Amino acid sequence: KIHTLIPVCILYCVSVLASFRGTVQHGLPLEIGDTFVYSLPQGIFPCSYIHLKNAHIKNKGQFETVIPTEDSVITEMTSTLRDWGAMWKRLYVKNEGDLFHRLWHVMNEILDLRRQVLVGHLTNDRMKDVKQHITARLDWGNEQLSLDLVPRREFSMVDPDEISVTELFKLMEHRHRKKETPVPASMHHLFVHVKSLMSSNLGEELEVFFHIYDGRENRPLSERFFVRLNKNGVPKSPEKTERQCTLFVDLGSSDLRKDVYIVVHIMRIGRMGAGEKKNLCSIQYRRPFGCAVVSIADLLTADSKDDHLLKVYACTTESEWYQIHENIMRKVNSRYNLSGSNTGLAVSLQLLHGDIEQLRREYMVLFTRGVSITKKLGFSDIIMPGEMRNDLYMTLEKGEFDKGGKSVARNVEITVYVLDIEGQVMKSYVAAGSGEPGGDEYHSFVLYHNNSPRWAEQIKLPIPVDRFRGSHVRFEFRHCSTKDKGEKKLFGYSFVHLMQEDGRTLPDGTHELIIHKCEENANLQDSSRYLKLPFSKANLPGNNQAVKGTKESFWITSFLCSTKLTQNGKDRHLSYTIVGLLQLSMDLLSSDRSLTSRYVTELFPLFFQVHIINLLQDSKFQHFKPVMDTYIESHFAGALSYRDLIKVLKWYVDRVIDAEHQDHIQQVLKATEYIFKYIIQSRRLFALATGGQSEEEFRCCIHELFMSIRFFLSQENKITSPVTQTQAVFLRTFPAVYGELLKIFTVREVAGFVRETLGSLPATTHAECPLEAVKLHCIAKTVESELYTNPESRCILLPVVLRLLQTHMQEQRDLVMCAHILTSMLSLIRKDDSVTTVSTATAEHHGTVLLSSCLLALLRQMSDKHYQQLLQAFTSKDDLRDFLLQIFTVFRILIRPEMFPKDWTVMRLVTNNVIITTVLYLSDALRKNFLNEKFDYKVWDSYFYLSVIFINQPCLQLESFSPSKRKRVLEKYGDMRVMMGCEIFSMWQNLGEHKLNFIPAMIGPFLEVTLVPQPDLRNVMIPIFHDMMDWEQRRSGNFKQVEAKLIDKLDSLMSEGKGDETYRELFNSILLKKIERETWRESGISLIATVTRLMERLLDYRDCMKLGEVDGKKIGCTVSLLNFYKTELNKEEMYIRYIHKLYELHLKAQNYTEASYTLLLYDELLEWSDRPLREFLNYPMQSEWQRKEYLHLTIVQNFDRGKCWENGIILCRELADQYESYYDYRNLSKMRMMEASLYDKIMDQQRLEPEFFRVGFYGKKFPFFLRNKEFVCRGHDYERLEAFQQRMLNEFPHAIAMQHVNQPDQTIYQAEAQYLQIYAVSPIPESQDVLQRDGVPDNIKSFYKVNHIWRFRYDRPFHKGTKDKENEFKSLWVERTTLTLVQSLPGISRWFEVEKRELVEVSPLENAIEVIENKNLQLRTLIAQCQSRQMQNINPLTMCLNGVIDAAVNGGLARYQEAFFVKDYVVNHPEDGEKIGRLRELMFEQAHILEYGLAVHEKFVPQDMRPLHKKLVDQFHVMKSSLGIQEFPAYVRASPVHFTNGSPRSSCRNSVPNIISPDGARVVARRSPLTYPAVNRYSSSSLSSQASNEVSNITGQSESSDEVFNMQPSPSTSSLSSNHSASPNVTSSAPSSARGSPQLQDKHKHSRENSCLSSRERPVSAIYPNPLDPAQVNTHKQINTQTMRATFSSWSLDSVKEVNNTQFSDTVGKLLCPPVPPSSLPPFTPSPTECQSAGLVSNSPVLSGSYSSGISSMSRCSVSEASGTEATTGDHPAHQGPTMPNSVSSGSDELIRRENKTPPPYSVYERSNPRRPVHLPHSLSIPPSVDPPALPPKPHQLRTSSMKLVPASDPRRADGVPHVPRPRPLPRKVSQL
């Protein structure tokens, strides 16, 4: 559809009806609901999209506002609904469904109401109701959405500019009080809806009675509500809702207590016994069934009708039925049984609040459908005019009856009748309760065989007043027989008169009635016969002892609630209503004069003082005041009464001073208001009747009356004087007289009366006098009265008001009330009013702190002239200084967040507008009077402090506002932050050299200002830092103070959420530009760069902390920031704080090992000294020794939880040494036991070996600490590659998974995206001697395989040159990548950055050697375990043998022979001669191992596996034949296989030279702890007829833990596996670290060709064990052993000290040395790499500063033991080995690198354990006959005791090396402790 475009050439006000994108030329985009004015000369939008409307423009110009001339309520609805719309959608996103739906309904309701208002067809009353409803809904929604409180006046929003600040304050306060503390309703009502009784044993009709019961006083509070239920337990008349629902009305606030209950009694209608069989008798009885009780306090928290299922208790003892509810209340209900397991009364209960008329309006449906009203016993707390009530309540209490000649007790039933004066039964005047209509009679329930029954059954007798006289109630007693006839036999009766002869009704209370014998109903037909008889024993004459002595009696309790009848014969007048008394008394006063004079002294005090006027002061009769006012205005006719009333009142006033008793006078003065009402009305009637006669006489009388009043008010008396109390009584009622006087006198005359009266009060009184508070209340009512509102009278009253007010304010008394008075006074001042008087008064009392609205109103009214007058009024600089300090303090108080409620944004904006206007005026005075030689630091500091707080107010942060709210604020006030920022900059520039006084104090506050996200403010304030740097450079020659303060404040401010990336860039660019021409440019650039880098890390940290769960990002970011604080900033306290933050993160993530390493950082900063430490973080004040002890114990506990028990043992030993040195044997014993328990856990408990993954983070979208870096991560337990990939992609949901393992190019590095590159890597253990030693349990080895790992490896197979299709092994090379980390794993994080990459190519021959060597090692291990019976079954050995033999038979080893043993290869590769020989030896060695293994296997193989064993033996002979082996070579024959029993104490290890070159590096073995204990996971190449299988087997298909247990051959169990192997079935349910996992989908999927991404598909060496690393294989180069001197650092905030210790020994730095069994081989000269491994690690913390981790420079003692521990000694000659060629990475480079790197203090192993030399691999030859090695020394002997020195000559020292004592650590300062 094509719309006509409007050619615009004049001004239009437009309301948009539909949104328009503005896609046409010159098109203006429109949003539905917009209102704007335009005057463009071309068509800009379709005319059908807009609606022209009237409007006016306010504040024309740049910030003009278009205000439609429509109802303000409609405008508010439009803007509010627009704001709600966006927030409503966010509620859905936040899953706040309840509020989402409620708000949706309210929005629809408001839209419907808006349409009604817009149509304009509503009446005024209806329009008022609709607007009230709209504003209520708007306020509800604003409150639910935490929006601002809207000030209103009569449903319309109030413009703050149109009213005074005090008036705005009062409006806000009124609305806030109404919202926060709604006026408590004085009346409460309980709605009850009976639904059903759920029980399994029903079958009879039921009667249910509800009433409210006071458990404290044990009495009912209401009458009963009666519901009939049918046999099914549901109401009998479901169509009559009034019989199911009731409203218990008129409950007072005192009735809503915990001990007020809803009591339910249930009666059944049926046979006498519930279990009786049916008989011919059809008579039914009312019998007890059950009782239920619920506290009314349980309903107070219910907002809506709640359904309750009340437990029904059955009383087994009927004699206790009358008190069953009381016993249930007291929890003595064990004697009662529940009526059934599923018995309950289903009811709906709801408390309603307000008067009954309000409920009729709010719950119209409730009253329309019908609800019965259940009244309260007695009158309600508030009695309404016209209320009529006449109810008599009787309670059948108890009876005493004789047996009547029967052998058993009677079954007594009472029948109640009401009879009139003629003896006729009154119809429908006996009611069991509300809900059911009244009946002619009432039958009580029957208690079985009980001659002393107690009923406690209440009935209601609503008898009309005119029928009360002569009426009586008759009670007939019948015995109910249980025989077949079921007769009810009459045996007696009682009666009671309702009214006595003198007109008094039956008095309330208990009455004991006489039971008259009667057995015939006929005797009761004529009531006149028995009415002459006595009815109550209390009224019997004294001579009638026969009746008094009878045992039979009947007790009832009566209670009358009547507005007409009385029970007091002396005060008959109380039977009249208040209005009746009023009419009677005033008629007496206004009638005949003689009658009046006769009664004036009697009737006036009687009627006015006691019974009328003062009754109206009671809240119970407050609703009668309008009735009295109406009577005075419309019905009072005493035209002459005023003369007598004036005389009487004056007579009382004149006697105030002399009267001894003031009670009667005070009662008269309490009624002053109404006395004046009668006086004025009487005078008006007289003047109207006589034409104004006696006017002067009247005025004279009034003047005389006020003279008497002023005289008695002017008397000064003692505080306790009765006159003082009488003065207070009059002042309380005096302001109510003003309005009456204005009806006759002029405004000035009345003002004169008031001024003179108030002025007569004594000026000097005691502060504790109660009259002072009454004075203020009188003044408050005066300024709020109509009299003060008039400007003419205000001028007359103002002096006396100010005088009284000044007195209180100067004495600092009742300041709150003074503030209320000032608020009322100032709310009357308008902009155009003169405020000279007020401002002068303010100048006099400028030191007085007024409350907010008063001061703001004054300041808002002041103009330039007033400010000048105010400042000129100060005669001295000191006075001006004090004023400025006080006004700045007041302003700081006014802008505190707690000053106003949170939603008072309108009030806060007005306050800030006034403050900034005032500050602009006062800043000139500050510059003129307190600068240069008159400089005053305190005033300027107060000014800057106020300015900073002003800018940082939450209510001024416009960025957090909605767009519409932000627009409104900017249009009305602008951005006040920028205005104040410009003022700060201007004032700063005026300071000159005085700026130095504010450096560095103002750096933090100004930095906080610059972090406000307002570009203009930042551009203004950031240059101040350049100015500070410049002035500090001039003063000190550096700006270290500026740097330190900036860094300290940045952390705290940014952690609060302040600052952003834009600020970092702006800070950097502005300051760099500013310092370009400075002489100190270089140091300035360094400072700016440091601060900028800190911002980067802090922003990353804050962003990471916003995430919900703890993940790697949070931990990595914290580690980065921690390192930065230590290495670059040297901030010890911040460093320690982030240590503990990181510790908490680890604990939350259950990274207990990492948590221990983290806390160890702090532990190492402490010494074992008694230096006292202050309270810090969560640590109490304690000594350094105590804190270090606590840290040690905590770390040990976490190491224990992380199953890193070896590290915990070291700390236990250190603590034990300390305890032993202090002879604390108790704790020493505990520590030794703890250490022993850790050893037990090592041996008994199983540990999982984690996987390790290399992760690359590429792209600019990653956080700074991750961007374009690669890390190695330690996976979680059971976490494999696919799970880890998914976890990383979940942490970085926007990242793209790279599908290759090649290093990315620069396009990836610079991309505006996130790329993740993940693949698994294998750890290279450092402790090779432990791993290679035979007999060391796998539980011990498993720790060293995956702990203290610096290097990791990844292998990728490839073909170099031409690929031989017949034998691919000829060209199959392996590309081996070694990654070296900045820190070892595990550490303070689960991942560390890769510091160095090394690439090595492994030749095909070297690869073959590795494969066979690894398989041989696996075979030896399994055979040894089988021999030592460490295996529970032989399956692993069977599978391994089967795999190797099967592969060899099918050509595996033959392929190696074809590839490397042929003449062409030997000729072309002469350098590989030794390697070929080594391969040949390994092949023969494997055959020999297999032969021995088969022999062992035959010994242990079970019978059902014998056929398999025979097959293996046959295949082995085939294998030997295929290899051409007839007999083994000499060196093999001479060395038959020798296997140990697994014990290190009985094992002998021989080494044969390793002929593999360093290039042929081995891979590291990693074994899942869920595999069989002695089975390592290896895999090797396979040589099959299919090339693909051969290649895949060689490229690293590893065996899983479950494959080891499978009896079937597996393609991954042998180094020469065959393609005939069976599928790897699993017998262990544990997952394997090498098991293949399904591919990921979509962008997370990795191609299967990328074998590096899966453990199962990665190359052979990627998961193989590597006993010898390339860097460690070069063990045959001799070097001179030297002992390195250790250096340790003592670090604090003050300095970094480096002390060389020439006496360094192996005892230094061994904080955490894992208990490694020592090698049994003699030491040999290590290679250069081994030299650094043994002793050159972490010797120099100075050299570690260049590394990004940078942690170790902080530690006190980052050293390891010297290389001398492994050096050659005289007793142990070095082992000489053949010289081998170097690897790709030379040993010298490795030495330099490792020398320059200090391991971290949290690296438990590296700090204390020297890297042991790597021993040559074992051979299978017979070991030489040497003595078995001695028992390994105890682990704690590996380091020297710090408490006992052993001299070198001591024979106990085996090595003869002098013992060097542990150097005492230098004392140092830990400033934060």
Side-chain angles (χ1 to χ4, degrees), residues 608-620:
F608 276 85
Q609 173 191 347
V610 181
H611 301 297
I612 304 176
I613 304 299
N614 292 329
L615 277 178
L616 299 180
Q617 308 301 325
D618 189 350
S619 61
K620 193 170 186 177

Side-chain angles (χ1 to χ4, degrees), residues 951-963:
I951 293 175
N952 286 298
Q953 291 179 88
C955 67
L956 293 184
Q957 309 312 312
L958 304 183
E959 295 76 18
S960 62
F961 294 173
S962 64

Side-chain angles (χ1 to χ4, degrees), residues 1466 1468-1475:
V1466 175
N1468 294 331
H1469 301 84
E1471 71 281 2
D1472 289 346
E1474 292 183 358
K1475 298 177 184 178

